[in-house]
Amino acid sequence: MANQSINVTIENFQQVILEGSKQKLVIVDFWADWCEPCKQLMPILEKLANEFSDRVTLAKIDCEDQQQLAAQFGIRSLPTVAFFKDGQPVDGFAGVEPESAIRARIEQHVPGPGADLVQQAQELLQQESYQEAYALAKQAYDLQPEDTTAQLTLADAACSVGRLEQTEELLTAIGLADQDSYYQHVVSKLELAKQAADSPELRALQEQASAQPDNLELQLELATKLYDAQRMEEALELAFGVLVKDFNFGSAKKQTLDMLNGLPKGDPLAAHYRRKLYSMMY
């Protein structure tokens, strides 16, 4: 991987740090050859600059050679690291920090790899293109599963396509500190979806199906109604229950495939049940 570092001088510091930080986060490493801690820190910074190469530039200032620059920045101890964004210092530290701490600092100031996907997914949710929104939100979440915005966007999209169990799982994983207005919006949306998915007619059909477990026609009818009510996982579980009892029963195979094909692209539920179906077929 190409080294994303530049040696900074009085001649190029404006272009590299002030102008360059309008395109990427610039990490400025003030160091000197006689400084042992500087030699410990530099490989860590180089590694992270390479890891975030599309979003970060490492600018090195040798304070022995560039004393005027060091004085201009008011450097008092080495190593010192400053983070520049949009021409302004936004963060920094003196001494040696562990890689995990520096990575956390970087992640505060640069968008994650799924940021564009999250934004596109949110725009599609606004346009009510829920299947497409879910596919992009799932990609973003897979790239950065710890990112709260990616989690919430996937929860929102999952709720919109009827993946209520997945929505609930994602919301449960979000800590109290991150339960903002968007979180409350998705919680409310989930509650409304649950109410809509629990009609008296559906409850009555569930009671009948529960009383007649060997009535495969009734089990399949309930599976279809649950699917229509966006209770996908329950619907698929019932449909597969019918196939296990009689793989060639009526239109069970076709209805199950239709259910799977109706799930959004990237839905892990679809992948799980497709594997299950193929193992039954072959």
Side-chain angles (χ1 to χ4, degrees):
M1 196 177 284
N3 200 330
Q4 300 297 312
S5 65
I6 301 170
N7 292 317
V8 178
T9 64
I10 196 77
E11 289 79 20
N12 71 358
F13 96 94
Q14 173 131 6
Q15 180 194 351
V16 173
I17 297 174
L18 303 184
E19 293 301 319
S21 66
K22 292 175 184 175
Q23 308 300 320
K24 294 182 178 183
L25 179 71
V26 177
I27 300 173
V28 187
D29 178 24
F30 296 90
W31 69 286
D33 194 50
W34 50 262
C35 166
E36 284 305 317
C38 296
K39 292 174 183 175
Q40 293 172 40
L41 181 63
M42 194 176 287
I44 298 172
L45 295 176
E46 287 174 341
K47 179 187 174 188
L48 290 168
N50 282 331
E51 188 178 319
F52 290 89
S53 60
D54 56 334
R55 290 160 284 160
V56 167
T57 300
L58 176 60
K60 301 176 185 174
I61 298 181
D62 181 341
C63 294
E64 283 291 296
D65 285 349
Q66 304 297 325
Q67 291 183 21
Q68 187 182 341
L69 268 183
Q72 194 172 320
F73 281 100
I75 300 305
R76 293 180 182 162
S77 66
L78 297 180
T80 291
V81 175
F83 291 69
F84 276 76
K85 192 173 184 180
D86 296 323
Q88 299 294 324
V90 291
D91 200 353
F93 62 92
V96 179
E97 284 196 353
E99 183 182 321
S100 58
I102 302 169
R103 179 182 278 103
R105 287 181 185 274
I106 292 170
E107 287 172 347
Q108 283 177 10
H109 299 292
V110 298
D116 289 343
L117 292 169
V118 166
Q119 189 178 344
Q120 289 171 47
Q122 289 180 343
E123 286 168 6
L124 286 165
L125 283 166
Q126 298 251 332
Q127 296 161 23
E128 298 183 7
S129 299
Y130 298 132
Q131 297 263 353
E132 294 90 341
Y134 181 92
L136 291 178
K138 182 68 172 61
Q139 285 178 49
Y141 175 76
D142 288 343
L143 284 169
Q144 45 191 116
E146 302 304 317
D147 183 86
T148 306
T149 309
Q151 282 180 320
L152 278 172
T153 305
L154 180 56
D156 192 355
C159 192
S160 300
V161 297
R163 292 287 282 104
L164 306 188
E165 304 89 346
Q166 187 182 22
T167 307
E168 206 146 24
E169 282 169 22
L170 288 160
L171 290 174
T172 304
I174 291 168
L176 198 60
D178 295 314
Q179 292 179 11
D180 57 9
S181 57
Y182 189 23
Y183 171 87
Q184 298 302 336
H185 163 74
V186 181
V187 167
S188 300
K189 189 170 173 176
L190 176 61
E191 285 309 310
L192 288 170
K194 279 181 172 178
Q195 288 167 27
D198 192 28
S199 66
E201 293 79 14
L202 192 52
R203 282 202 298 274
L205 188 58
Q206 281 179 299
E207 285 173 16
Q208 286 178 49
S210 180
Q212 302 175 56
D214 295 323
N215 185 335
L216 301 188
E217 194 65 57
L218 192 57
Q219 301 299 318
L220 208 53
E221 184 188 346
L222 177 58
T224 305
K225 295 289 185 192
L226 285 167
Y227 193 86
D228 291 343
Q230 297 201 318
R231 290 164 65 173
M232 276 66 171
E233 195 158 359
E234 291 171 86
L236 284 163
E237 205 49 46
L238 267 177
F240 271 86
V242 171
L243 292 175
V244 166
K245 287 179 178 174
D246 183 351
F247 192 67
N248 296 307
F249 178 78
S251 60
K253 256 185 294 188
K254 182 185 181 304
Q255 282 181 245
T256 305
L257 275 170
D258 287 346
M259 287 180 192
L260 289 172
N261 292 335
L263 291 172
K265 189 180 174 187
D267 190 336
L269 193 66
H272 169 71
Y273 279 103
R274 275 207 175 90
R275 282 196 300 271
K276 202 168 173 180
L277 183 61
Y278 293 147
S279 69
M280 291 169 78
M281 288 170 75
Y282 306 108

